[in-house]
Amino acid sequence: SPQKRKLGIALVGLGGYSTHQLAPALQETKNCYLAGIVTGTPAKAEAWKAKYKIPDKNIYNYQNFDQIVNNKDIDIVYVVLPNAMHAEFTIRAAKAKKHVICEKPMATSVEDAQRMLEACRQNKVQLAIGYRLHYDPFHQRVMDLGQNRIFGNVQSIRAHNAFDMGAGSSNSWRVDKERAGGGPLMDMGIYCVQAACYTMGKAPVAVTATFGEVTRPELFKEVEQSINWKMEFENGVIAECFSSYSDREDFLEGKAEKGWWRLGPAFGYEGKRGETSQGKMNYPNIFEQASQMDGQAESFRNNKPSIVPGEMGLRDVKILMAIYASARDGGKRVP
Ligand code: NDP
């Protein structure tokens, strides 16, 4: 039936994530497929056209992108650009009457995130954030354990997510404040923010933060090298979090009245492992991005809100900005 047709996705920005995760995932999706591309690099347009059999009429650049409004093959625009460009391309996609999936973090300011939501509302399109872990069985189990109080009330959370950026990364947008909006907090720490919120099933009431020491000033001229922060929830539950571009850490822990759980590796694409006070978690490692896009396409097709809506992206940008504000002056902030 026409209801069940696969939705066409156009990826915007053919960098590492589009190339190595999203395009391969779109070869396995059931509710959507790779219909088009938007790129500023003509050589990539040629290579992707050949590799994925993309017709010329479905290939755009950043200048002619708005003509996508006339393209019936494209139902969803997936914004996979540096963080500060998410707002512009989400708003242009909404004006072109396309549903939008936007990568994390949704935006680099609260105002931008609000403008994105408003543009999607006005143009009656849906907006979902690329929060792939909501589709992962290990993280779904953590949501269940925390939100449904399987081991009683949650008492504390710890979440660390860090990677060691190579010395040759000084040209990366990730260390450029203008394009990234911030450092590891925006890129990796957002997973800890998310995890604390979905363990509790709610947003924090306050945050405090401190920046770490800069030991590699050649890389971290504009954005933080590392950051420690705490998220305080109702009833005094604290999530202790850390993110860095100069360390290797990847875990999520929760402690409740009658038990505990731990994922580690927790946040990467592959090789997740988990255990609880009752034993090892046995879940398959799935192709998260395929499940994510299938889930999002299904919600768009049925006109149902996504489980990772733009409103959640805005909530998280508010938390990120409160964490930065606290790190700058040491004061407690209400997101
Ligand atoms: P890359 O640097 O690998 O790719 C970004 C692409 O954006 C470039 O290749 C380029 O594509 C395009 N681009 C357009 N303008 C610029 C510019 N001024 N500077 C740099 N690039 C530009 O980044 P990633 O693919 O790693 O990340 C993209 C987004 O995806 C980020 O928001 C990131 O947070 C998110 N991400 C999410 C992940 C997840 O697990 N959910 C994992 C990795 C990233 P072109 O040449 O086609 O124009």
Side-chain angles (χ1 to χ4, degrees), residues 2 40 62 68-69 90 129 145 177 184 188 247 270 273 305:
Y62 301 126
I68 208 164
V69 66
T90 294
I129 309 301
L145 288 167
K177 177 100 195 291
M188 313 284 290
D247 295 272
E270 281 164 6
R273 291 204 216 186

Side-chain angles (χ1 to χ4, degrees), residues 11-22 38-42 44-45 48 62 78-86 89 102-105 130-133 171-174 176 179 186-187 190-191 267-269 288-289 292:
L11 295 176
V12 187
L14 307 181
Y17 196 53
S18 287
T19 303
H20 302 298
Q21 300 297 326
L22 298 178
V38 185
T39 177
T41 309
K44 290 185 192 171
W48 282 60
Y62 301 126
Y78 195 157
V79 179
V80 203
L81 293 162
N83 305 340
M85 298 173 74
H86 293 177
F89 281 84
C102 176
E103 257 315 319
K104 42 57 63 175
Y131 287 142
R132 58 186 164 77
L133 294 177
N171 289 326
S172 167
W173 63 264
R174 284 186 162 80
D176 172 13
R179 284 177 292 172
M186 297 294 276
D187 194 38
I190 188 171
Y191 287 98
F267 301 114
Y269 310 136
E288 271 168 15
Q289 290 84 359
Q292 173 212 319

Side-chain angles (χ1 to χ4, degrees), residues 94-137:
K95 287 183 176 161
K97 310 290 178 195
K98 305 300 179 185
H99 297 302
V100 186
I101 306 173
C102 176
E103 257 315 319
K104 42 57 63 175
M106 177 175 174
T108 54
S109 72
V110 172
E111 295 71 30
D112 274 359
Q114 286 166 335
R115 288 194 303 120
M116 294 158 78
L117 274 168
E118 188 51 32
C120 291
R121 276 190 209 117
Q122 270 179 11
N123 290 286
K124 300 186 169 52
V125 297
Q126 294 220 43
L127 172 57
I129 309 301
Y131 287 142
R132 58 186 164 77
L133 294 177
H134 286 251
Y135 298 86
D136 182 274

